[in-house]
Amino acid sequence: MKILAVDTSAKAASAAVTEGGKILSENFTDTGLTHSQTLMPMVKSVLDAANISVKDIDIFAINNGPGSFTGVRIGVAAVKGMAQPLGKECVAVSTLEALAYNLIGLGCVAVSAMDARCGQVYTASFECGETVERLCGDEAVEISGLEERLKSYRRPIIFVGDGASLCYDFYKDKVPCSFANELLRYQRASSTALAAQMKAMRGETVPAEKLMPFYLRLPQAERELKKKKGDII
């Protein structure tokens, strides 16, 4: 099974091609350019490096959120644009779940944490042994609201994601924990592909037209509008 995976959920972006769990090629960029400028050239580069055509791809995978609202929309639109004309299936992967795959095999609890601003993180926890097993759903919470959950874990806790250092700084004196080194800390399309392969094997694929972004909270502009109207957010 050949998988083309992309991630545009944060400042950096990446693309990868895998086959049977083996990484054939991967490209990562954090240049400050917009994803609309960098994504498709990266896709072409990983396909060329793997010596395959987009028509050879069996499954298209995307981190569909949480993350940057604009970034997620760009990634989802790009994947739909590639998959739909070919009639190929897609897999939507939680950004938080994909992050946990960075730590597969480490025998730990991966606590994925993305900085959601305003003292909050997007977070979920996963058991990372030879496989990745979800321990709770994705949510947006105050950083201070994780203590009870963290204290319940009996394996080493490793924070991963761009909110990892924030969580570590808050909890290092409260629970035994560490945070992933920089090579493993951020989103990687190859991890998205590994997660997508497991989902595809379970039949969790969708036609391209049904692929949608997943947001844990409203965009800032909508939250500000609701606040002005006096709505509870």
Side-chain angles (χ1 to χ4, degrees), residues 139-219:
E139 57 185 344
V141 299
E142 300 288 334
I143 293 175
S144 59
L146 293 173
E147 186 168 350
E148 183 176 346
R149 179 185 301 169
L150 296 178
K151 286 182 175 179
S152 72
Y153 297 142
R154 296 293 177 260
R155 280 198 174 193
I157 296 168
I158 302 179
F159 292 109
V160 62
D162 62 18
S165 60
L166 294 173
C167 289
Y168 173 75
D169 287 343
F170 189 90
Y171 285 107
K172 61 185 178 182
D173 296 324
K174 298 179 175 67
V175 295
C177 63
S178 61
F179 62 100
N181 68 56
E182 196 159 342
L183 292 176
L184 298 177
R185 196 178 310 160
Y186 304 109
Q187 292 92 318
R188 295 179 54 187
S190 56
S191 291
T192 306
L194 293 176
Q197 177 175 297
M198 298 304 296
K199 288 179 173 292
M201 291 171 62
R202 296 194 295 263
E204 298 175 21
T205 63
V206 295
E209 61 269 19
K210 292 188 177 181
L211 191 66
M212 297 294 290
F214 170 68
Y215 302 130
L216 282 174
R217 65 183 191 188
L218 295 172

Side-chain angles (χ1 to χ4, degrees), residues 73-110:
R73 285 197 297 269
I74 288 171
V76 168
V79 166
K80 292 175 77 165
M82 290 185 285
Q84 194 162 1
L86 300 173
K88 298 294 181 74
E89 289 288 290
C90 299
V91 175
V93 179
S94 158
T95 311
L96 299 169
E97 184 171 351
L99 280 166
Y101 273 81
N102 291 2
L103 307 183
I104 192 169
L106 293 188
C108 66
V109 171

